């Protein structure tokens, strides 16, 4: 388990089963048995995942002996989101570059007098 | 290394050194030596982190034999951000609850005729 909170959050999210458990908990609290159901997994295996999520502060568990429902605690995800926030302009920039590139292709098409359609498009239109 | 892309992204982010490397690369490409400088870490240790980032598609490396600069590739972070997106309402909800709670406290203060200041505030004001 990583020492810092943000690393613990990201480590907990680095598993498809744990992400599926969190997704399930968005519709309300659930028992371990209910959480285990959709996965072909033993209860101890699911419990292990729940412990990782609980230590990362992503879920909390009820204190009733028989029924210890799990519920989502989304606050650590807010910190993860804030960390990602400052990288947003970088992926937006790469989309801008793609836009520029596509614009350039269209301009070249026009210069060549093409209509930007493929042979298949024209075949389809002539039917 | 996790098999699915999103898990690989989160696993790569689950380390403070790797996050610091990505942060450094937001200001432009850098050599391994330059990246290693701020950390008290051997070059092989830094190279290991770079390999994790590269496999997760978060950095790309130049092909020049002597100078293989690393640069940020933010696209996998977009998918991580989209995954987090659907949990946003849950942390916003918990802030709403905190707001409600603070509003409730203020109302009770008014009822009791209190001004919401602490003894220390009043001491400071009377000086």
């Amino acid at each position: 388990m990583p020492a810092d909170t943000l690393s613990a959050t990201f480590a907990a999210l680095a598993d498809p089963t744990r992400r599926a458990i969190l997704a399930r908990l968005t519709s309300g609290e659930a028992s371990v048995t209910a959480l285990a159901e959709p996965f072909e997994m033993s209860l101890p295996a699911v419990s292990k995942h729940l412990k990782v999520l609980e230590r990362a502060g992503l879920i909390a568990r009820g204190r009733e002996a028989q029924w210890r429902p799990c519920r989502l605690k989304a606050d650590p995800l807010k910190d993860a989101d804030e960390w990602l926030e400052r990288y947003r302009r970088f992926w937006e920039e790469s989309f801008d570059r793609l836009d520029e590139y596509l614009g350039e292709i269209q301009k070249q098409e026009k210069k060549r007098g093409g209509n930007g359609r493929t042979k298949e498009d024209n075949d389809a239109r002539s039917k």
Side-chain angles (χ1 to χ4, degrees), chain A:
Chain A
M1 200 66 186
D4 68 293
T5 320
L6 199 50
S7 297
T9 305
F10 283 132
L13 298 181
D15 181 278
T17 306
R18 289 197 291 269
R19 290 197 304 277
I21 289 173
L22 292 179
R24 164 65 188 81
L25 292 176
T26 60
S27 49
E29 54 179 36
S31 69
V32 181
T33 325
L35 287 174
E37 230 173 42
F39 311 106
E40 288 186 9
M41 225 178 238
S42 66
L43 281 182
V46 171
S47 290
K48 219 170 157 182
H49 282 308
L50 293 177
K51 264 187 201 126
V52 176
L53 291 170
E54 197 176 6
R55 268 190 238 127
L58 287 163
I59 64 165
R61 307 193 57 182
R63 289 290 155 220
E64 299 83 352
Q66 292 299 314
W67 149 254
R68 297 192 54 204
C70 302
R71 61 184 171 79
L72 181 68
K73 283 178 70 188
D75 288 358
L77 299 178
K78 187 182 191 308
D79 298 328
D81 189 71
E82 273 168 10
W83 186 87
L84 284 165
E85 175 71 41
R86 77 179 107 164
Y87 294 89
R88 193 155 296 154
R89 66 185 173 101
F90 291 95
W91 72 70
E92 279 166 0
E93 270 169 22
S94 36
F95 277 103
D96 287 348
R97 276 201 299 275
L98 184 66
D99 265 354
E100 260 173 50
Y101 174 72
L102 293 175
E104 205 51 49
I105 284 179
Q106 282 180 324
K107 255 190 253 169
Q108 285 171 8
E109 278 287 337
K110 272 190 191 157
K111 261 189 204 162
R112 275 187 278 155
N115 55 15
R117 292 194 204 105
T118 63
K119 188 179 171 296
E120 286 72 17
D121 284 340
N122 290 328
D123 286 354
R125 287 171 69 91
S126 65
K127 266 174 200 160

